[in-house]
Amino acid sequence: MTATASLEQLRRCHFAVDMGAARTRVYVKGTGLVVDQPSVAAVNTRTGALIAVGEFAEKMTGRTPDYIRVVRPVSGGTVVDIEMAQRMLRHLLGDKVRRSLRRKAILRAAACTPHDADPLAQRACIETMVGLGARRVELVDTLIAAAVGCGLPVERPEATMVLVCGAAATQVAVLSLGSIVNAVRIPVGGEAVDHAIVQHLRHQHELMLPSQSVRPLQLALSGNGLTASGPASTEIHGRDVATGLARSVQVDTAAVRDAIQTPLTAVLDGIGKVLRDCPPDLVADLADRGIMMVGGSALLPGFDEMLRHATGMPVHIAERPEVCAVEGLGAMLEGRIEPLALDPLTD
């Protein structure tokens, strides 16, 4: 079991898993993306039985009787409940896929891990895969997998900057020659933005949203609400903090825009830190190539515009930002990525 996998080792893998705080995605070699579901499971606490996983379990959040508990086995990009993660993955994969994987003599798996994952987090990820029957597990840095997945020329000796916007954290890296030159992980993601909106509605309008799991952003700002050209106000339904009764209020979108600036400013600080610690030659490359945004939170309305304005660099959003990491793993499994041949020179 290795922490940094070579392309040769990855080509031998049979399936790849990208387990995130928000969604779990599984790529099976020769088949493609077979699972793209929320990382959620619902458990009956009386019997210990698993009732639902994925989308159905997410719909149950905040709506269950006391004996049904909705759990998230992945927190902050790290597996926190190995047994539950294994059970959830088994159900998400389904019998048919699991049967086909079981036929392999030595089942090999690849998995994404956050950039600064400590040995404990790496071990938890490996144990989860082993529980699915994998005899060998290769770990790949999410940043490299995401950069490969959105088609960046990772293997070339020129700088590419990738911004992975996840639910729990945002990772920024400058890559060159197939490796990370400099990277930083900022503990601010889509959930922090959601939380900022929830708090804003609570303090300014004394309104509680129906459930913490509802994406308050999508609820509050339809279309391009976060940009200045969006609607001036929008109606939100929720529960009054004082009386507990249902109530709806008109929310000013400009105020919401200000409320989410604080978490997003942390991302800007992270980008600044990575650029400051980078060799000048690579930063010069980035001036015209810019930043590539991947991850589900990259689709936050107005986020790219804010980065463009703050950094003065071109900012691009990948074609399907939410599946870039798992597609990158898939490309490595299928052998679509050619390694740069650096043969040691002989005197």
Side-chain angles (χ1 to χ4, degrees):
M1 294 176 190
T2 54
T4 49
S6 71
L7 283 171
E8 197 52 52
Q9 289 165 325
L10 284 167
R11 275 183 197 158
R12 296 189 197 135
C13 291
H14 302 107
F15 72 107
V17 179
D18 174 21
M19 281 185 91
R23 292 182 84 85
T24 293
R25 299 179 176 93
V26 182
Y27 187 104
V28 174
K29 191 173 187 173
T31 309
L33 195 64
V34 293
V35 174
D36 183 0
Q37 293 269 356
S39 310
V40 190
V43 187
N44 183 331
T45 53
R46 290 175 186 168
T47 61
L50 203 61
I51 298 167
V53 292
E55 269 165 19
F56 189 45
E58 192 171 53
K59 282 180 186 156
M60 292 182 179
T61 310
R63 294 186 165 89
T64 57
D66 58 359
Y67 66 92
I68 293 177
R69 199 161 61 94
V70 177
V71 292
R72 291 179 175 270
V74 185
S75 171
T78 305
V79 178
V80 288
D81 185 339
I82 296 171
E83 190 205 349
M84 191 52 69
Q86 289 170 353
R87 290 173 73 186
M88 181 185 79
L89 270 170
R90 270 188 217 116
H91 280 270
L92 287 174
L93 279 169
D95 292 338
K96 191 177 166 192
V97 176
R98 275 172 45 222
R99 268 201 302 274
S100 70
L101 289 175
R102 260 196 235 115
R103 290 194 194 107
K104 315 288 183 202
I106 296 180
L107 184 62
R108 295 166 183 261
C112 277
T113 52
H115 171 60
D116 58 353
D118 55 32
L120 210 61
Q122 291 183 356
R123 188 81 220 161
C125 185
I126 289 169
E127 290 293 335
T128 306
M129 297 297 117
V130 169
L132 287 176
R135 299 280 295 278
R136 188 177 172 92
V137 184
E138 311 290 355
L139 298 184
V140 181
D141 199 306
T142 307
L143 288 160
I144 291 177
V148 168
C150 61
L152 290 175
V154 182
E155 297 289 342
R156 300 232 284 276
E158 49 197 58
T160 49
M161 189 173 203
V162 68
L163 185 75
V164 179
C165 315
T170 303
Q171 301 173 72
V172 194
V174 174
L175 309 166
S176 180
L177 287 172
S179 298
I180 294 168
V181 177
N182 201 358
V184 69
R185 185 168 182 265
I186 309 136
V188 169
E191 287 170 1
V193 173
D194 289 355
H195 186 65
I197 295 176
V198 169
Q199 293 298 357
H200 169 76
L201 293 174
R202 190 171 184 143
H203 295 315
Q204 298 297 319
H205 301 281
E206 295 190 343
L207 190 80
M208 281 180 78
L209 283 182
S211 163
Q212 293 288 340
S213 71
V214 174
R215 293 284 298 183
L217 196 71
Q218 271 69 13
L219 196 96
L221 307 158
S222 51
N224 58 350
L226 266 182
T227 54
S229 59
S233 68
T234 185
E235 192 176 19
I236 303 254
H237 307 284
R239 192 178 81 191
D240 191 290
V241 172
T243 63
L245 301 174
R247 183 163 71 93
S248 61
V249 294
Q250 281 289 333
V251 177
D252 179 24
T253 50
V256 174
R257 214 165 41 237
D258 292 341
I260 70 162
Q261 286 297 326
T262 312
L264 294 183
T265 309
V267 176
L268 288 175
D269 293 344
I271 292 172
K273 185 178 183 302
V274 167
L275 291 173
R276 277 196 303 276
D277 298 344
C278 244
D281 295 10
L282 291 181
V283 178
D285 280 356
L286 294 170
D288 35 276
R289 181 162 295 129
I291 304 169
M292 179 65 84
M293 293 173 73
V294 299
S297 303
L299 297 169
L300 222 55
F303 188 15
D304 55 332
E305 195 54 54
M306 181 192 137
L307 289 178
R308 225 173 265 132
H309 181 71
T311 60
M313 290 160 70
V315 176
H316 317 282
I317 299 178
E319 203 170 311
R320 290 171 64 208
E322 63 282 1
V323 294
C324 276
V326 75
E327 287 291 349
L329 277 179
M332 293 177 196
L333 257 64
E334 305 282 10
R336 291 200 294 267
I337 308 301
E338 283 302 315
L340 184 72
L342 287 176
D343 295 323
L345 297 173
T346 51
D347 294 333

